[in-house]
């Protein structure tokens, strides 16, 4: 063997791309304890603070007492329990679709769904900034792939025209996100839906960072745009604004039944813990309550406060989601900025290649309804002192 593992690690360190796990000793609201340092956490995707919501914890405890810790087997063996079916019923109602299916993680959802629905005779047209899990699912499917520059409608149109000529008998699947995880911006959904209909394609929309944050009842961008009925495959996660863990896909009953029979990450995985499913049911109820609406309003007030407090040269011109990127360019600059912020009491990790493009390293600030105005103002002041 000519190359050692250590040599690869050393190369990562030289490029400021080495990563390590961090153990958090405790979490409380928007703060974490890391190596006995109490830090304000601006990295979590727990946008509404539901991971510690009493109603979710109580639902999980009740399921734990009734069903135990684990599910015991895959869903197709004997792992399908009452909380799983209730959750899928509630998800379908929430997304106004015929059916839903849950997976052990958002990654498993993306990989299993794409791999099951398209194959060698099909073409997938995907936004360049789509999540890695979607890219991996596309690769595993064996379908022909065409990538369009981020939110570039002209290139999407030309790819669809090409697919009309070369895949007239196959499936044409457009894959995009409603809110992009590293930039926090939104897809031009109305225009994409119009193209989808014009070219008789299918549309998979990943609502992972939109559900709970955007739209009536927190249903996401498709609902906000009045286009939920035009999106063939609505995918999402239970581990961000819903405060738990797992992933889901919603759509036609026939499509869900096909996933049950073909999605390998569903078929060959032990079913999610029943306590997690029960907590997600409680989270969906919270999202649609008056308390959920007030929590969303608090989150958007926090975002507006950060936008007003940040210098004009930092962050996006307008807040489209709970994700606020501070793009610094070089990986080393992002790592150094993260270290400086930690010294001032803030946890904001550096995001580097391959998560984002080379020369596009950044701080990814995520806001929560749990943050206080004082914490947000102090973060803005700290960001203003970073070297430009």
């Amino acid at each position: 063997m000519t190359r050692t593992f250590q040599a690869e690690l050393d190369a990562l360190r030289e490029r400021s791309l080495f990563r390590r796990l961090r153990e958090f000793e405790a979490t409380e609201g928007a703060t974490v304890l890391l190596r006995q340092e109490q830090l304000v956490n601006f990295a979590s995707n727990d946008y509404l603070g539901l991971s510690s919501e009493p109603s979710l914890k109580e639902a999980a405890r009740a399921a734990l007492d009734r069903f135990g810790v684990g599910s015991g087997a895959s869903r197709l063996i004997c792992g399908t329990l009452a909380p799983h079916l209730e959750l899928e019923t509630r998800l379908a109602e929430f997304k106004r679709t015929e059916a839903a299916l849950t997976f052990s993680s958002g990654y498993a959802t993306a990989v299993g769904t794409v791999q099951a629905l398209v194959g060698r005779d099909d073409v997938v047209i995907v936004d360049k900034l789509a999540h890695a899990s979607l890219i991996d699912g596309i690769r595993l499917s064996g379908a022909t792939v065409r990538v369009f520059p981020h939110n570039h409608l002209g290139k999407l149109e030309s790819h669809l025209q090409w697919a009309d000529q070369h895949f007239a008998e196959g499936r044409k699947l457009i894959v995009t996100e409603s809110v992009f995880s590293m930039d926090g911006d939104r897809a031009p959904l109305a225009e994409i839906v119009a193209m989808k209909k014009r070219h008789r394609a299918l549309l998979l929309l990943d609502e992972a960072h939109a559900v709970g944050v955007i739209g009536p009842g927190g249903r996401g961008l498709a609902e906000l745009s009045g286009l939920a009925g035009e999106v063939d495959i609505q995918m999402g996660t239970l581990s961000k604004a819903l405060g738990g863990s797992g992933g889901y896909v919603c759509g036609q009953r026939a499509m869900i039944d096909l996933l049950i029979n073909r999605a390998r990450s569903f078929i060959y995985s032990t079913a999610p813990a029943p306590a997690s499913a029960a907590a997600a049911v409680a989270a969906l109820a919270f999202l649609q309550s008056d308390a959920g609406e007030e929590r969303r309003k608090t989150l958007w007030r926090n975002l507006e406060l950060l936008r007003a407090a940040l210098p004009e040269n930092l962050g996006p011109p307008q807040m489209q989601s709970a994700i606020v990127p501070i793009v610094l360019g070089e990986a080393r600059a992002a790592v150094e900025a993260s270290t400086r912020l930690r010294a001032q009491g803030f946890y904001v990790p550096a995001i580097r290649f391959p998560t984002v493009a080379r020369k596009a390293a950044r701080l990814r600030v995520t806001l929560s309804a749990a943050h206080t105005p004082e914490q947000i103002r102090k973060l803005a002041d700290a960001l203003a002192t970073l070297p430009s």
Side-chain angles (χ1 to χ4, degrees), residues 121-353:
D121 297 326
D122 306 315
V123 60
V124 180
I125 305 171
V126 58
D127 190 291
K128 185 177 182 179
L129 296 189
H131 194 268
S133 58
L134 291 163
I135 301 302
D136 289 352
I138 293 167
R139 288 172 173 165
L140 286 171
S141 74
T144 297
V145 185
R146 289 292 181 269
V147 179
F148 61 96
H150 179 50
N151 281 344
H152 193 303
L153 295 171
K155 197 63 176 178
L156 171 58
E157 179 81 53
S158 67
H159 282 330
L160 284 165
Q161 291 169 348
W162 176 87
D164 288 341
Q165 296 175 4
H166 294 87
F167 289 86
E169 303 302 319
R171 285 188 180 136
K172 291 170 285 189
L173 177 65
I174 302 168
V175 175
T176 190
E177 302 182 19
S178 53
V179 170
F180 288 84
S181 59
M182 290 298 120
D183 289 78
D185 59 340
R186 302 179 186 182
L189 190 57
E191 292 86 347
I192 292 173
V193 165
M195 287 187 194
K196 173 214 108 149
K197 295 169 70 175
R198 189 159 59 247
H199 294 275
R200 298 182 180 180
L202 297 171
L203 173 59
L204 185 155
L205 182 67
D206 183 358
E207 294 255 53
H209 294 276
V211 162
V213 176
I214 294 171
R219 287 185 174 86
L221 183 61
E223 184 75 15
L224 178 66
S225 306
L227 296 168
E230 303 292 347
V231 178
D232 305 282
I233 307 155
Q234 295 194 51
M235 198 182 85
T237 178
L238 306 170
S239 57
K240 294 180 172 55
L242 274 73
S245 65
Y248 65 86
V249 61
C250 298
Q252 295 179 357
R253 177 76 259 176
M255 186 266 288
I256 296 300
D257 286 343
L258 187 62
L259 292 179
I260 291 171
N261 284 272
R262 286 190 177 173
R264 294 171 68 86
S265 60
F266 173 84
I267 296 169
Y268 299 110
S269 293
T270 296
S276 293
V281 171
L284 287 171
F286 186 95
L287 286 189
Q288 299 168 81
S289 68
D290 291 342
E293 185 62 28
E294 185 55 40
R295 198 71 64 89
R296 271 186 297 281
K297 289 179 180 177
T298 299
L299 172 60
W300 282 100
R301 284 195 296 267
N302 284 348
L303 283 159
E304 178 56 29
L305 176 60
L306 180 61
R307 187 203 63 78
L310 278 177
E312 289 185 2
N313 63 321
L314 292 179
Q318 58 179 319
M319 304 298 186
Q320 299 188 55
S321 70
I323 301 163
V324 182
I326 309 295
V327 180
L328 299 173
E330 297 291 343
R332 188 178 303 277
V335 172
E336 291 173 353
S338 176
T339 301
R340 286 169 65 98
L341 289 176
R342 179 172 171 179
Q344 297 179 69
F346 303 103
Y347 181 68
V348 188
I351 306 296
R352 297 156 282 167
F353 180 83

Side-chain angles (χ1 to χ4, degrees), residues 351-364:
I351 306 296
R352 297 156 282 167
F353 180 83
T355 306
V356 294
R358 290 184 174 89
K359 309 292 185 180
R362 67 197 61 191
L363 301 173
R364 178 183 180 269

Side-chain angles (χ1 to χ4, degrees), residues 9-219:
L9 290 173
D10 292 342
L12 288 173
R13 287 190 178 90
E14 288 174 6
R15 290 176 285 160
S16 297
L17 297 178
F18 181 75
R19 295 158 170 86
R20 59 168 56 87
L21 298 175
R22 300 174 178 89
E23 179 186 357
F24 294 94
E25 291 94 11
T27 62
E28 182 178 353
T31 64
V32 294
L33 191 64
L34 176 60
R35 295 185 179 179
Q36 301 305 307
E37 289 182 89
Q38 189 167 26
L39 305 172
V40 182
N41 185 5
F42 282 99
S44 173
N45 296 321
D46 185 15
Y47 301 128
L48 300 178
L50 290 189
S51 64
S52 57
E53 184 64 28
S55 62
L56 274 67
K57 292 193 287 187
E58 179 55 37
R61 278 192 291 265
L64 188 66
D65 289 341
R66 181 179 177 188
F67 296 100
V69 174
S71 297
S74 69
R75 291 283 300 277
L76 288 174
I77 302 299
C78 64
T80 296
L81 304 173
H84 301 127
L85 296 179
E86 183 180 4
L87 174 57
E88 288 162 355
T89 297
R90 297 289 173 254
L91 281 166
E93 292 172 352
F94 179 69
K95 279 293 192 174
R96 308 188 200 280
T97 60
E98 291 180 0
L101 189 67
T102 53
F103 291 71
S104 58
S105 69
Y107 185 93
T109 305
V111 169
T113 297
V114 178
Q115 164 265 317
L117 298 183
V118 292
R120 286 177 294 181
D121 297 326
D122 306 315
V123 60
V124 180
I125 305 171
V126 58
D127 190 291
K128 185 177 182 179
L129 296 189
H131 194 268
S133 58
L134 291 163
I135 301 302
D136 289 352
I138 293 167
R139 288 172 173 165
L140 286 171
S141 74
T144 297
V145 185
R146 289 292 181 269
V147 179
F148 61 96
H150 179 50
N151 281 344
H152 193 303
L153 295 171
K155 197 63 176 178
L156 171 58
E157 179 81 53
S158 67
H159 282 330
L160 284 165
Q161 291 169 348
W162 176 87
D164 288 341
Q165 296 175 4
H166 294 87
F167 289 86
E169 303 302 319
R171 285 188 180 136
K172 291 170 285 189
L173 177 65
I174 302 168
V175 175
T176 190
E177 302 182 19
S178 53
V179 170
F180 288 84
S181 59
M182 290 298 120
D183 289 78
D185 59 340
R186 302 179 186 182
L189 190 57
E191 292 86 347
I192 292 173
V193 165
M195 287 187 194
K196 173 214 108 149
K197 295 169 70 175
R198 189 159 59 247
H199 294 275
R200 298 182 180 180
L202 297 171
L203 173 59
L204 185 155
L205 182 67
D206 183 358
E207 294 255 53
H209 294 276
V211 162
V213 176
I214 294 171
R219 287 185 174 86

